[in-house]
Amino acid sequence: MATRALIGIIETDAAGNQVLTSTYNHYDGYPDNLGVGLNKHYDEVQSAKQIANQGYISYLDPETGAIDAKHKESADKFVLPDDFERAMQVVHNEADEMGADYVYLYDFDAADWLDARNSTQDMINKFRGSGVADQFTGGYED
């Protein structure tokens, strides 16, 4: 059975919108595997952007960082609401569409991957107080 995951970055576009760019990961998306691999091999800004723009990953080897990608797909891009909690609902919906069990978002402030179970409340709780939440102007109080 596959443990699917969404791997994403949130960046500000030219119009000032927060945009989620995400990749689907099919196998072994749990923190002890994919989370380790992301933090070990894709923990710098450029490599985080690279993997979030991959589009589709069958498997990421946590030891080597090698990506197995059986399909060629473009990364998904979504404009997010300005409100942090509403934005996490959109991220949850996108992850749900993928059948994802986990969500990984890159925290540009900490240069670190953050993970949460795919539930809006879990993402809000885990990402609150991080650089991910700081990207939004509303719906969040520390």
Side-chain angles (χ1 to χ4, degrees), residues 34-84:
L34 181 60
V36 168
L38 290 171
N39 279 307
K40 189 173 179 182
H41 302 286
Y42 296 92
D43 63 337
E44 295 180 4
V45 171
Q46 281 311 107
S47 59
K49 288 181 181 185
Q50 173 193 6
I51 197 159
N53 278 282
Q54 185 76 27
Y56 182 101
I57 294 172
S58 297
Y59 175 74
L60 177 111
D61 186 317
E63 295 303 314
T64 66
I67 294 171
D68 178 18
K70 303 220 183 302
H71 305 282
K72 298 290 183 208
E73 294 181 18
S74 298
D76 291 328
K77 293 188 183 273
F78 291 93
V79 173
L80 299 172
D82 244 1
D83 178 276
F84 168 66

Side-chain angles (χ1 to χ4, degrees), residues 28-37 62 102 104:
D28 297 334
Y30 47 89
D32 288 343
N33 190 80
L34 181 60
V36 168
Y102 291 95
Y104 295 85

